[in-house]
Amino acid sequence: MLTRKQYELLMFIDQRLRATGVSPSFDEMKDALDLKSKSGIHRLITGLEERGFIRRLAHRARALEVLRMPDNAADQPLPPPTRAFSPTVIKGSFSQILPGAAVAGPSDAISLPLYGKIAAGTPIEALRDHNSSIDVPGLMLGNGNHYALTVEGDSMIDAGILDGDVVVVRSCEIAEAGTIVVALVDDIEVTLKRLRRKGASIALEPANKKYETRIFPPDRVKVQGRLVGLLRKY
């Protein structure tokens, strides 16, 4: 899924490339989206790049390439920029990178994208590798899109999740308290933790007494998916 701002930026970049053949500058993107700083643009571009919508061209200043557009882009005119926060999201086509909407039988193996390492200790930036995949039993998957991540760290060992395990994750934006989730913190760091709620705040709870529960305002944490399975090699 794309956030409203990610969608606006993708449309702006695509329109500028079609019109001039040159990527807009960060200042132009900031003004077009009515943002206060270029750091916000950097986070949006990183998010679009991680989701496979754009890529940065090496050794070229301000060079971006649009790889694909959301399926419903033609039906979604570019909204006027606004400073007000909106939780509206635009559904993208994740069939190329999250092919987890299982159509095979439960006994068949289904290939899922393996997106590098996720920290089960201190959060780290997710390492996305779109060239790696892993086969998982169809019985492990339900409806929806799925992907896999390699666990790094020991903060979830009391939940039976060890360093080097591969977790299977169902993509979602909402999860119940007590669920083990993939959480995006500040649009940069990704971690695997148990989701708790502390009043109006979000708590990311480890399953290892060596680590402390981290508490954030709700606008700093986004659920990226929930744990549905685990694979381990011996």
Side-chain angles (χ1 to χ4, degrees):
M1 288 186 177
L2 296 182
T3 66
R4 178 190 180 94
K5 286 298 185 185
Q6 286 173 340
Y7 178 76
E8 290 178 5
L9 182 60
L10 181 61
M11 295 297 103
F12 179 67
I13 293 171
D14 182 66
Q15 290 172 2
R16 180 60 66 87
L17 286 172
R18 290 177 184 273
T20 68
V22 179
S23 303
S25 68
F26 272 43
D27 283 321
E28 290 171 330
M29 290 185 242
K30 175 174 69 70
D31 293 340
L33 271 67
D34 200 21
L35 296 179
K36 294 181 179 180
S37 70
K38 289 187 285 188
S39 62
I41 294 297
H42 176 76
R43 288 194 295 270
L44 292 173
I45 287 177
T46 299
L48 289 171
E49 188 176 29
E50 288 181 347
R51 288 161 176 78
F53 286 93
I54 65 173
R55 72 175 174 186
R56 292 179 242 215
L57 303 180
H59 310 301
R60 293 174 57 185
R62 52 180 280 195
L64 298 172
E65 179 183 6
V66 176
L67 300 178
R68 64 190 184 93
M69 302 292 286
D71 282 348
N72 59 349
D75 302 325
Q76 297 284 338
L78 182 63
T82 175
R83 291 185 185 274
F85 170 79
S86 171
T88 303
V89 294
I90 308 297
K91 288 184 178 293
S93 172
F94 289 90
S95 59
Q96 297 178 17
I97 60 171
L98 294 177
V103 294
S107 62
D108 296 328
I110 296 176
S111 181
L112 296 183
L114 180 61
Y115 284 163
K117 296 179 180 179
I118 185 171
T122 304
I124 60 173
E125 185 174 1
L127 301 176
R128 297 299 182 94
D129 182 359
H130 296 283
N131 296 317
S132 297
S133 61
I134 189 169
D135 291 337
V136 304
L139 188 63
M140 187 178 291
L141 308 178
N143 295 326
N145 293 322
H146 296 74
Y147 56 93
L149 292 162
T150 302
V151 174
E152 185 174 62
D154 62 355
S155 75
M156 296 301 291
I157 58 174
D158 290 341
I161 302 172
L162 309 182
D163 183 55
D165 286 348
V166 173
V167 292
V168 179
V169 180
R170 179 181 178 181
S171 183
C172 66
E173 294 182 335
I174 300 174
E176 297 179 353
T179 304
I180 297 177
V181 301
V182 175
L184 176 66
V185 181
D186 293 331
D187 290 322
I188 298 176
E189 300 171 323
V190 180
T191 188
L192 184 73
K193 291 290 180 293
R194 195 176 299 278
L195 180 72
R196 301 290 188 189
R197 303 191 185 276
K198 302 285 186 180
S201 299
I202 300 294
L204 299 179
E205 179 184 88
N208 186 333
K209 293 180 179 179
K210 293 195 306 182
Y211 298 90
E212 294 182 352
T213 297
R214 303 178 71 197
I215 300 176
F216 301 92
D219 60 343
R220 291 182 59 191
V221 178
K222 298 176 184 176
V223 174
Q224 303 283 282
R226 64 179 181 85
L227 179 69
V228 297
L230 183 145
L231 303 172
R232 180 175 299 156
K233 293 181 179 180
Y234 291 95

